[in-house]
Amino acid sequence: MNSIISFWEKLSSKKRGLLFVAAGMLCLAGSLVLLLFTESIFSTVLLYFSLGLNIIGLYILMWIKDRRDKK
């Protein structure tokens, strides 16, 4: 657990944002596969979860870009 926390603290803000976007894209792809091949409520929950992760990741990336532009 400590190694995960230290790894996370060593990452730059841009890499953290990209990690959020990548996790969101992975969840979105998985939920779309479930939606296409199953008729499950679980896939709909995953779709909303992945959309939320994508929004958070994009917000972080835009916030970093805005901070960089101000300097």
Side-chain angles (χ1 to χ4, degrees):
M1 186 67 176
N2 288 335
S3 62
I4 295 172
I5 293 172
S6 65
F7 172 75
W8 183 259
E9 289 174 349
K10 290 178 186 175
L11 288 176
S12 67
S13 297
K14 183 177 180 180
K15 288 184 181 178
R16 287 181 194 174
L18 289 174
L19 194 61
F20 275 115
V21 171
M25 294 287 188
L26 185 66
C27 288
L28 186 61
S31 63
L32 287 176
V33 167
L34 284 175
L35 278 171
L36 291 175
F37 296 110
T38 64
E39 297 176 1
S40 173
I41 298 289
F42 184 66
S43 60
T44 307
V45 172
L46 275 178
L47 181 67
Y48 289 132
F49 181 70
S50 63
L51 288 174
L53 279 178
N54 278 319
I55 290 169
I56 290 170
L58 289 173
Y59 178 77
I60 290 171
L61 286 177
M62 295 303 284
W63 178 66
I64 291 168
K65 184 180 180 298
D66 186 47
R67 284 185 57 201
R68 191 173 294 153
D69 290 343
K70 286 182 180 177
K71 289 183 179 181

